[in-house]
């Protein structure tokens, strides 16, 4: 199930980025990054009603209690996470303006091999052969 979810997530992410570039940025656009950011805000805000409903239901049923961050360090961690994500998005959009969306999305997929390498170095975790073959295909796709 994990491999299926990762595969669907990668396909969905690549499709959204390609659709975004195809339909929100044109060659005659004066502010392509600003229009791309507006699109990101829209598809970033779309899950908000669903997530808010799920949080309400989970809190109401007692499945998971809703709790706001209590300490300053928790708030700092939230802002740090948001800042890192925002800088990634801005870099991604600047890259999409400068080069092909397919090249950039395959480059983004290289985070999977990088993460696996970090797992191996930090914890000694060794992947099964089919996972290593997938990493090889991702790397080969980027270099081709």
């Amino acid at each position: 199930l994990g491999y299926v979810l990762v595969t669907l997530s990668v396909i969905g992410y690549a499709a959204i980025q390609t659709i975004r570039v195809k339909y929100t940025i044109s060659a005659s656009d004066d502010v392509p990054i600003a229009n791309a950011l507006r699109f990101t805000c829209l598809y970033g805000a779309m899950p908000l009603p669903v997530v808010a409903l799920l949080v309400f239901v989970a809190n109401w049923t007692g499945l998971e209690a809703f709790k706001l961050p209590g300490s300053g360090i928790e708030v700092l961690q939230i802002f740090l996470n948001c800042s890192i994500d925002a800088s990634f998005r801005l870099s991604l959009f600047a890259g999409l303006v400068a080069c092909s969306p397919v090249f950039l999305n395959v480059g983004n997929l290289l985070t999977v091999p990088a993460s696996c390498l970090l797992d191996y170095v930090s914890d000694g975790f060794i992947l099964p052969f089919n996972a290593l073959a997938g990493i090889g295909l991702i790397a080969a796709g980027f270099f081709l």
Side-chain angles (χ1 to χ4, degrees), residues 54-144:
L54 291 175
V55 167
F56 175 77
V57 168
N59 187 47
W60 183 67
T61 60
L63 182 65
E64 177 89 23
F66 178 70
K67 179 182 153 195
L68 289 171
S71 68
I73 192 72
E74 291 174 345
V75 173
L76 182 63
Q77 288 171 339
I78 291 169
F79 279 113
L80 179 64
N81 188 21
C82 292
S83 300
I84 290 170
D85 187 58
S87 64
F88 166 74
R89 296 274 178 222
L90 189 58
S91 301
L92 177 68
F93 297 144
L96 284 170
V97 169
C99 65
S100 160
V102 173
F103 175 77
L104 209 55
N105 283 316
V106 172
N108 283 336
L109 288 177
L110 288 176
T111 58
V112 173
S115 173
C116 293
L117 179 64
L118 182 64
D119 283 343
Y120 175 73
V121 170
S122 65
D123 297 327
F125 180 72
I126 298 174
L127 294 170
F129 175 74
N130 57 352
L132 291 173
I135 289 172
L137 289 173
I138 290 171
F142 180 74
F143 291 115
L144 290 176

